[in-house]
Amino acid sequence: VDMDKPDSVIDAYEMICGAVAAAFARLGMDVCLMRRAAEGAVTHGSCFANAGTSDLVHGGVKVCGSAQARKGGGLLQHGSVLLRDNAAVLYRLLRLDGEVRARGEAKFRSGCLNLAEVGLAPSREEMEDAFESGFREAFEVDFVTQPYSASEAECARRIEGKFALRDSAT
């Protein structure tokens, strides 16, 4: 989309999170943008467990976290939505031991909400439709789906190994 980006980081979060909130509404869940700073430092391996000013909350609990980068006049915001409880997997991957793992999992589960906890189990297609509709509504744009161009496909082939999953034991 060719449009002016807000000068303020917070204004940009509000603009983009408005589209994400519209997506959640389409899924049947009311969310709002957190209006206060995160409480305490991130501990036990998961920034997702702390809601901050750029996060969407439901009932005061974090349901969508995002981060933003600006470079060369561009703006990129990415975010995460938990579909189900995956705290045990996350903390096993972080290779934390004993009490540290248990405290981290507990903090994670109390600090964030997954969609299954509120009775939502959208399919991938339902999520895609909700987010497309939310962004279409918020930004008054239409989306066009088309195959990758030859140069886009070539670029993907060149860099795919850079982002491939690697065995953590190596």
Side-chain angles (χ1 to χ4, degrees):
V1 173
D2 187 19
M3 59 192 302
D4 292 331
K5 73 177 188 308
D7 292 328
S8 151
V9 170
I10 295 298
D11 289 345
Y13 273 115
E14 288 178 354
M15 180 180 77
I16 295 168
C17 286
V20 177
F24 273 100
R26 294 192 68 81
L27 293 170
M29 185 177 190
D30 291 325
V31 299
C32 63
L33 190 63
M34 178 65 80
R35 298 290 180 195
R36 61 177 170 71
E39 295 175 5
V42 174
T43 59
H44 306 110
S46 178
C47 61
F48 204 96
N50 293 335
T53 55
S54 60
D55 298 321
L56 292 169
V57 296
H58 173 79
V61 182
K62 184 175 187 171
V63 71
C64 178
S66 58
Q68 193 177 107
R70 293 164 174 248
K71 185 175 181 179
L75 181 149
L76 170 68
Q77 184 165 321
H78 72 90
S80 298
V81 175
L82 301 176
L83 301 178
R84 60 193 160 281
D85 181 0
N86 61 359
V89 172
L90 171 66
Y91 282 86
R92 209 170 38 252
L93 291 172
L94 292 174
R95 296 182 177 184
L96 300 173
D97 292 318
E99 185 61 31
V100 173
R101 177 186 285 183
R103 280 195 318 269
E105 275 188 54
K107 171 84 170 135
F108 185 85
R109 285 193 174 102
S110 67
C112 57
L113 187 67
N114 65 72
L115 297 186
E117 287 179 280
V118 294
L120 295 175
S123 67
R124 178 185 176 128
E125 291 78 18
E126 290 168 325
M127 289 292 287
E128 289 172 357
D129 290 345
F131 275 80
E132 183 177 324
S133 296
F135 276 81
R136 183 184 310 115
E137 175 186 315
F139 292 105
E140 299 177 350
V141 296
D142 286 320
F143 291 92
V144 177
T145 302
Q146 60 191 32
Y148 294 119
S149 69
S151 64
E152 290 168 333
E154 174 56 29
C155 180
R157 278 190 295 278
R158 275 195 326 270
I159 66 171
E160 72 181 330
K162 182 177 179 181
F163 298 99
L165 292 175
R166 290 176 174 75
D167 183 345
S168 62
T170 58

